[in-house]
Amino acid sequence: MQRASRLKRELSILTTEPPPGITCWQNEDQLDDLRAQILGGADTPYEKGIFNLEIVVPERYPFEPPKIRFLTPIYHPNIDSAGRICLDVLKLPPKGAWRPSLNISTLLTSIQLLMAEPNPDDPLMADISSEYKYNKQLFLLNAKEWTEKYASQ
């Protein structure tokens, strides 16, 4: 019950006052199956891209973080080919930084920030990470190319 009312409240806030560049909605009336879109930030290789994400809310939410993954392929050191995201707020402590006080809006904003500022020191994709560190021009070129190929409308 607590989970359902909290999710309804969060979705209502996401609908009426969404963070800039982020939208989120229920997938086919399933309260625990959400979809989101994040617009690629200006001055990033993801600019003008529209990235779709899947959000699965666990039974124990908010005591357990939602599982979020990219449905749109993205060229990024912290996001793998299955769309999984390496981000501390998406994991429970001690390895992660999830807290029940966080919400879906905060998580989506954190993912948007990660897109703009990758963390090459905690990569899921080692090859992309070293490209980001040692050949940034090539990384930017590849990321732009993927954005045009997969995230353009």
Side-chain angles (χ1 to χ4, degrees):
M1 191 63 206
Q2 183 185 11
R3 169 179 174 250
S5 59
R6 174 164 165 164
L7 276 171
K8 280 195 179 86
R9 195 171 60 243
E10 282 190 40
L11 275 171
S12 147
I13 292 168
L14 276 162
T15 308
T16 54
E17 307 162 39
I22 294 173
T23 49
C24 185
W25 64 94
Q26 269 176 262
N27 189 35
E28 298 170 5
D29 297 330
Q30 297 289 320
L31 196 58
D32 55 0
D33 183 15
L34 310 176
R35 293 290 178 270
Q37 278 186 337
I38 296 181
L39 301 178
D43 304 322
T44 73
Y46 311 110
E47 190 170 8
K48 294 192 176 83
I50 297 175
F51 296 88
N52 293 304
L53 293 91
E54 171 189 71
I55 304 167
V56 178
V57 183
E59 281 297 320
R60 296 194 59 243
Y61 183 79
F63 304 104
E64 210 174 279
K67 305 222 178 316
I68 304 180
R69 71 183 186 96
F70 275 78
L71 297 172
T72 306
I74 180 170
Y75 194 83
H76 194 286
N78 308 106
I79 302 160
D80 73 9
S81 54
R84 290 178 304 227
I85 306 160
C86 182
L87 186 62
D88 59 353
V89 291
L90 293 174
K91 293 183 280 223
L92 284 167
K95 283 190 172 158
W98 171 256
R99 296 184 313 280
S101 58
L102 295 172
N103 60 37
I104 292 167
S105 178
T106 317
L107 293 179
L108 291 170
T109 305
S110 300
I111 292 168
Q112 189 182 39
L113 193 64
L114 181 71
M115 286 169 69
E117 295 173 24
N119 177 3
D121 299 323
D122 189 17
L124 268 180
M125 305 296 280
D127 49 341
I128 298 176
S129 174
S130 61
E131 189 178 282
Y132 180 85
K133 277 178 161 172
Y134 306 114
N135 191 349
K136 195 129 181 211
Q137 284 315 109
L138 182 61
F139 165 79
L140 292 171
L141 194 75
N142 284 329
K144 266 193 186 110
E145 212 170 86
W146 275 50
T147 301
E148 282 164 21
K149 188 172 175 183
Y150 301 110
S152 293
Q153 295 300 308

